[in-house]
Amino acid sequence: IGARHTRLSQIINAYAPTAHGGTVPMVFHQNSASAEGVALALGMTIDALDGHDGFNPAKGHIGCPVISGLLALALEHQHSTPVSGKDFLDALIVGYEVGARVAIVQHATVPDYHTSGSWGAVAVAAAGAYFLKLDETVTRHALGIAEYHGPRSQMMRCIDHPTMLKDGSGWGAMCGVSALHLAQAGFTGAPAVTVEQDRPDIWQDFGERWYLKEQYYKPYPVCRWAQAPIEAALSLKTTHAIDAKDISEIEIATFHESRRLATQCPETTEEAQYSTSFPTAIALKYGTISPDHLTGDALHDPEVLRLSASMTFVEDAYANSAFPLRRYAKVKLTMQSGEVHQSDWHEPKWDHTSPPTAKELYTKFKQLADPEIGEQHAHDLKMAIAAMDENPFSILADLLTQ
């Protein structure tokens, strides 16, 4: 909802009904498209704000492709087959559990770091196969098609050159939905290597260890790798009542991937989100980071740009050794007076080991949703989601497609 007015979302929501025409209603958009088009547009829109949940071992986001693909399938079938909210939630759990394990396996078998869309395509196919009650043979082929055609896109390329390509989740969601439709039509593609290779260490606890409960949430709509420096900087700002204009120099010690978010003077929303220095500068000036800080005239805020340009980075061996399961950073501020403030090691907020409260999550939801769709519509959405296990999916669908 919060990403609807980004340039990325506007482009993809205009493209999807033209290139992927169909009768499935698009989410929070007046047009319709095929299920593939709906999944593509929704996945890219979620990525456009970069405020979603994530999974540390995957270095990515399961929910973005899985929810996008599964919503598209549920909207496609809601009139032809009765769809219950519980069926949708059960399939969503399957998507998270398969997605977590496939991501871990894939990262162990490739030399470079691939986007969430690559393994997310397989997760969408798994969730969709469960939701559509496909038999074992068709399911195997759907997983294999999704894995083979999933966007094996290199994430660090988009880190070094931030663009609207982002984390590949929209393309992965589209691929997963396409794989299901192809497999149902008789197209073959089995096996999916990441699923069927002999890895009992990954799969033997399926249904016992729930990776769905090990996801983090983002308090700010920027790359997770930038959020440990943000928390370290905010701790100093709060403890010492620091005014941003009094800061002369900033030094950040952190892990390699966070240092690679190197855009200090962003020209686009994507460059601002894939930066460590710019969001940290925003936090030091405003005490928080909202979507409005990452677009339009806010990209040219002279005080934020001064602070961003004043940052230097130190790649730290301790922080590197902890990544990706832990993301550490510490910050040193040198004041105009010469006084120096040094933080301890900090991690991002809202990891699964220290999760947000229900109230904190709802506050985040309201801050993003209320200005876009109104307080009543947002409240109705919350109530529909809370009661999904008891109601038909159509109640949520109506609210998503008004």
Side-chain angles (χ1 to χ4, degrees), residues 347-360:
E347 296 183 79
K349 283 175 61 177
W350 295 357
D351 193 62
H352 77 279
T353 58
S354 183
T357 65
K359 182 178 179 180
E360 286 174 323

Side-chain angles (χ1 to χ4, degrees), residues 245-320:
K245 70 177 187 301
D246 297 327
I247 299 172
S248 175
E249 297 177 4
I250 305 166
E251 181 183 287
I252 296 176
T254 189
F255 53 97
H256 172 80
E257 286 78 5
S258 180
R259 183 185 63 78
R260 286 276 286 273
L261 299 167
T263 304
Q264 290 189 303
C265 300
E267 295 294 330
T268 66
T269 297
E270 289 71 39
E271 290 179 349
Q273 291 173 332
Y274 282 162
S275 166
T276 293
S277 59
F278 191 77
T280 303
I282 293 171
L284 284 168
K285 178 175 178 180
Y286 294 104
T288 188
I289 304 169
S290 73
D292 291 342
H293 292 138
L294 302 166
T295 188
D297 292 340
L299 297 177
H300 308 292
D301 184 317
E303 182 66 5
V304 171
L305 289 173
R306 180 189 72 82
L307 291 167
S308 181
S310 73
M311 291 187 205
T312 57
F313 290 84
V314 176
E315 188 171 320
D316 186 271
Y318 170 70
N320 278 341

Side-chain angles (χ1 to χ4, degrees), residues 47-335:
D47 256 352
L49 188 60
D50 216 338
H52 37 20
D53 62 309
F55 183 53
N56 281 340
K59 297 180 284 187
H61 313 279
I62 302 171
C64 186
V66 169
I67 289 174
S68 301
L70 194 55
L71 275 176
L73 289 166
L75 290 169
E76 179 185 38
H77 287 273
Q78 65 169 325
H79 297 303
S80 59
T81 306
V83 176
S84 73
K86 184 180 183 300
D87 287 343
F88 182 89
L89 291 174
D90 287 346
L92 184 62
I93 293 169
V94 170
Y96 268 92
E97 297 306 317
V98 172
R101 289 165 173 82
V102 168
I104 294 170
V105 173
Q106 183 191 290
H107 286 318
T109 59
V110 292
D112 50 1
Y113 161 34
H114 288 75
T115 65
S116 298
S118 58
W119 46 263
V122 183
V124 169
Y130 184 89
F131 178 74
L132 298 172
K133 299 179 172 60
L134 304 185
D135 64 31
E136 181 178 340
T137 298
V138 177
T139 296
R140 286 188 69 232
H141 288 305
L143 295 172
I145 296 165
E147 182 189 76
Y148 194 85
H149 287 302
R152 286 292 182 114
S153 37
Q154 294 87 359
M155 187 68 229
M156 298 311 293
R157 168 180 165 183
C158 201
I159 295 298
D160 292 337
H161 307 284
T163 65
M164 293 180 184
L165 294 171
K166 303 295 288 275
D167 200 26
S169 294
W171 211 266
M174 176 184 69
C175 180
V177 173
S178 299
L180 289 160
H181 287 156
L182 284 168
Q184 286 180 294
F187 201 94
T188 59
V193 178
T194 53
V195 177
E196 298 197 29
Q197 65 176 260
D198 187 19
R199 289 295 302 269
D201 57 316
I202 300 297
W203 295 100
Q204 65 186 0
D205 61 359
F206 193 88
E208 297 175 2
R209 178 177 182 174
W210 298 100
Y211 281 117
L212 178 60
K213 295 184 176 182
E214 298 182 29
Q215 309 298 306
Y216 64 74
Y217 294 89
K218 289 185 183 180
Y220 317 111
V222 297
C223 182
R224 186 69 169 179
W225 299 347
Q227 299 204 16
I230 290 168
E231 295 302 335
L234 285 174
S235 74
L236 293 177
K237 179 178 176 67
T238 301
T239 300
H240 302 285
I242 290 172
D243 191 319
K245 70 177 187 301
D246 297 327
I247 299 172
S248 175
E249 297 177 4
I250 305 166
E251 181 183 287
I252 296 176
T254 189
F255 53 97
H256 172 80
E257 286 78 5
S258 180
R259 183 185 63 78
R260 286 276 286 273
L261 299 167
T263 304
Q264 290 189 303
C265 300
E267 295 294 330
T268 66
T269 297
E270 289 71 39
E271 290 179 349
Q273 291 173 332
Y274 282 162
S275 166
T276 293
S277 59
F278 191 77
T280 303
I282 293 171
L284 284 168
K285 178 175 178 180
Y286 294 104
T288 188
I289 304 169
S290 73
D292 291 342
H293 292 138
L294 302 166
T295 188
D297 292 340
L299 297 177
H300 308 292
D301 184 317
E303 182 66 5
V304 171
L305 289 173
R306 180 189 72 82
L307 291 167
S308 181
S310 73
M311 291 187 205
T312 57
F313 290 84
V314 176
E315 188 171 320
D316 186 271
Y318 170 70
N320 278 341
S321 67
F323 183 81
L325 298 183
R326 310 292 289 268
R327 287 96 187 270
Y328 287 116
K330 58 183 177 181
V331 170
K332 181 169 72 174
L333 301 180
T334 301
M335 312 305 291

